[in-house]
Amino acid sequence: MRTIIFLLEKEFRQIFRNKILLAIILLVPMVQLVILPLTANYEVKNIHLSVVNHDNSSYARELINRITASGYFQLTSVEHTFTGALANVESNSADLVLEIPANFEKNLIRESRQTLFVAANAINGVKAGLGTAYLNTIIRDYSQELRLSSTLSGAAPGSVIEMVPSNWYNPYMNYQLFMVPGILAILVTMIGGYMSALNIVKEKEAGTIEQINVTPIRKHHFIIGKLIPFWIMGLVTFTLGLVIGWLVYGVVPAGSLALLYFFLAIYLLAVLGIGLLISTYTETQQQAMFISFFFIMIFILMSGLFTSLDSMPYWARVVSRLNPVTYFIEVMRMVVLKGSGLRHILPHLGVVIVFTIVFNTWAVINYKKTS
Amino acid sequence: MSKGGQQFITFIKKEFAHVLRDRKTLLILFGLPVVQILIFGFALSNEVKNSRLLVVDHARDAVSGAIIAKIEASHYFDLKKVSASTHEIEDVFKAGAAQVAVVFPPGFGSDLVHFNHAAIQVIADASDPNTANTLTNYLANIVMDYQTAELARPDTPLQIGTQVRMLYNPQLKGAHTFVPGVMALVLMLVCVMMTAVSIVREKELGTMEILLVSPFRPELVILSKAVPYLILSLVNVASILLLSVFVLDLPVRGSVPLLLAESTLFIITSLALGLFISVRAKTQETAMLVSMMGMLLPTLLFSGFMFPIENMPKVLQYISNVVPAKWYYNMVQSIMIKGLGFEAIWKETLILAGTALLFLVVSFKKFNIRLA
């Protein structure tokens, strides 16, 4: 125990001595937390719409009015030919094209049905998907309303199934509310992973590790002495992040704070374990940096931070389940946004405990005192 | 060849030996682009499908059964559970086991028959707003289809349908945006970070002093450090392009020599940034963190490949203009995806060339022969 305390004292002195590093550890994540949710904004609004109107009827005009009044769309141009609208898509001035066929109103009344043509620039997949979804909803509502208010003689309206949608946990559909917890999870992971990976390697490169190796300090003492300071730094970063999330974005955890910290405490051990493991396999800081960058990059991409995990192919879903970051992001979103309790996150907790044991045991075994 | 030229080549050989000796770093450098291209190409997509659905069926009649069957048949949804109680929804959402729930009220089918009107409640877990929106809309479409197919009499008036076509990219894959993005990111990583760290490392180890007291010109010592990374980067560009053409079926529509020339320009710009960092930084740790936070993160954030620049606040949109990777990303997109020629990208070329020149000049001015 005494050994560990001395080791801790040494580590903390080293951390506090390097002022630039300390500033980077504490300041940079905070700046990122302020900027990232602003940049990682996949909220879809101001979809640029180009309309090809072959039918200058009141129905067509009313439909266009409804679309522009919905707030999602900006009518950039009304064209006479589809090619003209397509040119707008090619020059990026339109995202979506809506084509209203000739004699739309006349045929709609006479033949009972008409089909509108929608084309979306799918290079931006999110915008194309959501844009057509919004457009469909507006057109469907308009069609339904026309039918109900229709005074056409003799046409009895068919049976109608009404959809009553409600959005839980985030009724204003605020995208930043969704991103802030995920980004905080990533930041804590990066700080923990990089710092612990670099730290031991630094001693290797400087040769000071040899001095420690010839002392009677035991392997696991040394590793614990390295783990605890970064574990504390991780908790501090997380706390600062929560405060910023609250002050800047108004994100207040709906669930229990104690539960969040409990999960974080275990998760951080897993992340630090990965960092230590990397440091036992590398000789130079450059190697350690690149290898941790490589893994953190993959972890972030495969964590479901930006894209839905469910839509991945089977093999990729398996990979994402082997990724500790996936679990932390899910837990953050569950507890912060939905107020999930301990029993909801038990499976996540179990998996993270397994990760912690595996990575740390592996790191201790692989750390050799003799080079 | 002159004596200086021979010395220069000897130095480059030495640097190559340094780079090639470190197998682990090399593996990452060549492995990273490959893995990223594969992940982006085959794992990630913006399509929403296989979403987990909870059904609460109070009606248990023919109509609700038919609609459930229709939902199940679509590949957008993966029916997790049919539950008898609405109380379960909250629990299932909180455990993250479903993203959307559909509730059929009691007497759903008979209401429809007797009153010509019945309601379905759709409850979405809107903690992810985009997915919630998309799923609600998919469900509405399925119900609408059922309504037109099964309930509507042939004389039902005023039905407006839509026919949707996704242009250019029907599966909503991201290949068009990420291939140029991965190129920018990897080149930044290799050129800025590797160069900066390897020079600062020699400072830290003290071997830089030995090189500087030699009769060889100090500028050339530094330049010879950059050459191996220039070559490594070109190999990376080639491998990314080959992967995108042969594995992702994303052809280069414009001129390949032009693309390679612009890539070389971007590599030189990045090397200049790397040199600049190495001249200022005293420890490897600082060099790494500065290149990480100052170069790589902005590249990720502001090049437009992961995050839509148009959605950012105006201030951040202005900031994005000083990130060299943004201009390179635009050029690669113009050449690769749109097939445009030099006349469309001369402005970007000038900006990058100017940046490179600026940082080279500043670095050499600041470069101090005496380290202490």
Side-chain angles (χ1 to χ4, degrees):
Chain A
M1 197 60 216
R2 266 172 59 89
T3 329
I4 293 180
I5 291 174
F6 283 129
L7 281 172
L8 283 180
E9 200 185 321
K10 158 193 169 294
E11 294 296 335
F12 273 113
R13 277 202 188 171
Q14 281 181 325
I15 291 173
F16 284 110
R17 201 163 44 194
N18 193 343
K19 291 282 185 294
I20 300 177
L21 194 66
L22 197 67
I24 291 176
I25 293 176
L26 292 177
L27 214 69
V28 170
M30 299 309 119
V31 174
Q32 288 181 22
L33 194 64
V34 173
I35 293 179
L36 265 168
L38 292 175
T39 57
N41 186 357
Y42 290 105
E43 195 170 82
V44 175
K45 50 188 176 191
N46 296 330
I47 304 161
H48 298 291
L49 179 75
S50 188
V51 173
V52 189
N53 194 353
H54 296 300
D55 179 49
N56 210 4
S57 63
S58 63
Y59 277 14
R61 274 197 305 272
E62 173 61 18
L63 181 63
I64 295 171
N65 271 342
R66 297 231 170 179
I67 292 168
T68 47
S70 69
Y72 293 119
F73 296 95
Q74 249 176 31
L75 188 63
T76 46
S77 71
V78 178
E79 302 287 336
H80 297 291
T81 60
F82 187 72
T83 345
L86 206 61
N88 289 336
V89 173
E90 272 166 0
S91 67
N92 273 339
S93 63
D95 305 307
L96 236 64
V97 176
L98 172 70
E99 191 178 25
I100 301 175
N103 301 323
F104 168 70
E105 181 174 328
K106 211 156 81 189
N107 290 344
L108 184 63
I109 293 169
R110 194 194 299 156
E111 294 167 18
S112 295
R113 54 167 59 231
Q114 275 295 289
T115 303
L116 302 174
F117 183 70
V118 178
N121 176 3
I123 289 179
N124 182 345
V126 183
K127 216 164 189 176
L130 274 177
T132 49
Y134 292 146
L135 204 58
N136 263 330
T137 312
I138 297 167
I139 293 171
R140 199 172 43 230
D141 288 351
Y142 180 59
S143 157
Q144 195 120 316
E145 224 171 284
L146 268 184
R147 199 169 331 149
L148 292 176
S149 67
S150 160
T151 51
L152 289 175
S153 55
S159 308
V160 174
I161 302 176
E162 190 192 348
M163 285 255 307
V164 188
S166 54
N167 293 308
W168 283 8
Y169 310 119
N170 187 1
Y172 302 108
M173 298 299 220
N174 178 352
Y175 199 77
Q176 277 154 6
L177 205 59
F178 176 60
M179 282 316 279
V180 169
I183 288 170
L184 182 54
I186 295 285
L187 290 179
V188 171
T189 311
M190 283 175 74
I191 289 290
Y194 280 128
M195 291 301 144
S196 58
L198 283 184
N199 192 278
I200 293 189
V201 177
K202 199 171 155 191
E203 298 221 23
K204 274 193 193 172
E205 249 185 342
T208 49
I209 201 153
E210 303 252 311
Q211 294 167 12
I212 292 172
N213 285 346
V214 294
T215 62
I217 296 171
R218 316 255 312 252
K219 260 197 210 180
H220 67 270
H221 282 162
F222 178 68
I223 297 235
I224 291 173
K226 287 281 178 196
L227 274 179
I228 293 179
F230 295 109
W231 185 76
I232 294 175
M233 303 264 333
L235 290 176
V236 172
T237 309
F238 182 77
T239 311
L240 285 173
L242 273 187
V243 173
I244 288 183
W246 168 57
L247 288 178
V248 180
Y249 294 103
V251 177
V252 181
S256 139
L257 268 181
L259 183 64
L260 272 184
Y261 275 94
F262 176 61
F263 190 87
L264 174 72
I266 294 167
Y267 171 77
L268 268 178
L269 291 179
V271 170
L272 296 177
I274 296 173
L276 289 179
L277 189 60
I278 290 174
S279 72
T280 62
Y281 276 103
T282 48
E283 282 81 40
T284 64
Q285 291 183 62
Q286 200 175 1
Q287 276 181 358
M289 189 74 183
F290 274 94
I291 293 179
S292 10
F293 180 78
F294 179 73
F295 282 106
I296 288 184
M297 194 76 206
I298 293 175
F299 281 169
I300 294 177
L301 290 176
M302 301 295 279
S303 68
L305 179 67
F306 306 115
T307 51
S308 137
L309 290 178
D310 288 325
S311 59
M312 288 181 174
Y314 181 73
W315 66 268
R317 267 181 281 167
V318 173
V319 174
S320 75
R321 285 293 140 201
L322 295 172
N323 171 5
V325 182
T326 308
Y327 296 90
F328 190 40
I329 289 186
E330 281 184 358
V331 166
M332 281 293 284
R333 284 179 176 161
M334 281 156 73
V335 177
V336 172
L337 299 175
K338 303 188 222 171
S340 306
L342 178 61
R343 71 200 159 90
H344 299 116
I345 65 163
L346 270 182
H348 295 76
L349 196 62
V351 176
V352 169
I353 289 174
V354 173
F355 276 132
T356 307
I357 294 171
V358 169
F359 288 131
N360 285 294
T361 320
W362 190 355
V364 172
I365 292 173
N366 202 45
Y367 164 64
K368 298 180 195 74
K369 283 188 79 170
T370 53
S371 53
Chain B
M1 190 182 274
S2 72
K3 195 160 165 274
Q6 269 177 355
Q7 276 179 332
F8 189 52
I9 289 177
T10 316
F11 263 86
I12 292 177
K13 277 191 186 151
K14 158 193 167 289
E15 294 304 331
F16 255 114
H18 270 301
V19 174
L20 295 179
R21 202 165 44 195
D22 187 352
R23 292 287 150 82
K24 285 173 188 161
T25 309
L26 264 188
L27 191 69
I28 297 286
L29 282 185
F30 290 120
L32 184 74
V34 175
V35 172
Q36 281 202 338
I37 292 275
L38 293 180
I39 288 182
F40 275 112
F42 296 104
L44 306 182
S45 108
N46 287 318
E47 211 177 2
V48 178
K49 60 183 184 192
N50 301 329
S51 300
R52 287 152 300 162
L53 171 89
L54 177 76
V55 169
V56 182
D57 189 0
H58 292 303
R60 293 185 181 280
D61 52 36
V63 183
S64 72
I67 293 179
I68 294 168
K70 233 173 141 49
I71 295 173
E72 247 188 302
S74 92
H75 73 288
Y76 297 125
F77 294 100
D78 180 8
L79 183 63
K80 274 289 156 204
K81 203 171 176 186
V82 179
S83 158
S85 143
T86 33
H87 299 297
E88 210 176 331
I89 297 174
E90 172 133 37
D91 224 38
V92 169
F93 277 3
K94 280 189 174 175
Q99 286 157 308
V100 67
V102 177
V103 184
F104 294 94
F108 175 72
S110 67
D111 280 358
L112 198 60
V113 174
H114 295 117
F115 304 110
N116 272 342
H117 181 274
I120 300 176
Q121 198 183 8
V122 172
I123 301 169
D125 173 356
S127 54
D128 176 355
N130 284 357
T131 306
N133 258 330
T134 312
L135 292 180
T136 309
N137 182 66
Y138 285 160
L139 281 170
N141 279 341
I142 292 173
V143 171
M144 196 67 184
D145 279 353
Y146 174 81
Q147 195 174 307
T148 24
E150 309 288 329
L151 303 177
R153 282 161 254 169
D155 57 341
T156 305
L158 306 173
Q159 298 173 44
I160 308 174
T162 46
Q163 190 197 343
V164 176
R165 201 174 75 196
M166 294 290 175
L167 302 172
Y168 311 121
N169 179 18
Q171 278 139 21
L172 305 184
K173 288 269 182 195
H176 301 82
T177 44
F178 74 74
V179 168
V182 169
M183 282 171 73
L185 188 71
V186 168
L187 294 183
M188 269 282 176
L189 184 73
V190 176
C191 301
V192 179
M193 197 132 99
M194 293 285 290
T195 319
V197 171
S198 70
I199 294 177
V200 177
R201 187 174 145 88
E202 295 227 27
K203 277 197 204 170
E204 253 186 354
L205 294 177
T207 47
M208 188 58 109
E209 292 204 301
I210 299 173
L211 291 180
L212 292 179
V213 294
S214 74
F216 195 51
R217 283 177 55 201
E219 291 85 8
L220 291 182
V221 172
I222 300 294
L223 271 189
S224 65
K225 285 209 157 287
V227 174
Y229 297 114
L230 176 76
I231 293 167
L232 274 185
S233 308
L234 285 172
V235 174
N236 261 327
V237 169
S239 71
I240 293 175
L241 287 179
L242 288 175
L243 273 175
S244 83
V245 171
F246 292 107
V247 181
L248 300 177
D249 287 326
L250 185 75
V252 181
R253 287 177 62 189
S255 140
V256 175
L258 179 63
L259 184 58
L260 291 180
E262 297 292 358
S263 299
T264 313
L265 175 63
F266 180 64
I267 292 169
I268 293 171
T269 314
S270 311
L271 287 172
L273 288 169
L275 288 181
F276 177 71
I277 294 178
S278 72
V279 169
R280 309 302 303 269
K282 288 204 174 62
T283 65
Q284 287 186 63
E285 226 167 14
T286 321
M288 280 178 204
L289 286 166
V290 170
S291 16
M292 194 84 182
M293 304 302 177
M295 300 292 154
L296 278 176
L297 261 173
T299 301
L300 264 180
L301 293 180
F302 296 121
S303 64
F305 99 95
M306 288 198 88
F307 311 112
I309 292 181
E310 59 189 36
N311 273 7
M312 296 178 189
K314 274 277 174 291
V315 185
L316 293 185
Q317 292 192 16
Y318 291 132
I319 292 178
S320 77
N321 288 333
V322 300
V323 178
K326 178 189 163 174
W327 302 107
Y328 177 61
Y329 175 80
N330 284 350
M331 293 200 292
V332 177
Q333 266 215 328
S334 305
I335 302 173
M336 262 190 93
I337 315 291
K338 298 187 183 153
L340 302 174
F342 184 71
E343 66 284 353
I345 52 171
W346 62 270
K347 204 174 82 186
E348 282 90 343
T349 311
L350 270 184
I351 293 175
L352 280 191
T355 317
L357 204 64
L358 176 77
F359 278 97
L360 278 176
V361 169
V362 175
S363 306
F364 282 117
K365 281 230 151 125
K366 289 268 172 194
F367 183 67
N368 219 336
I369 297 189
R370 287 181 190 80
L371 292 169

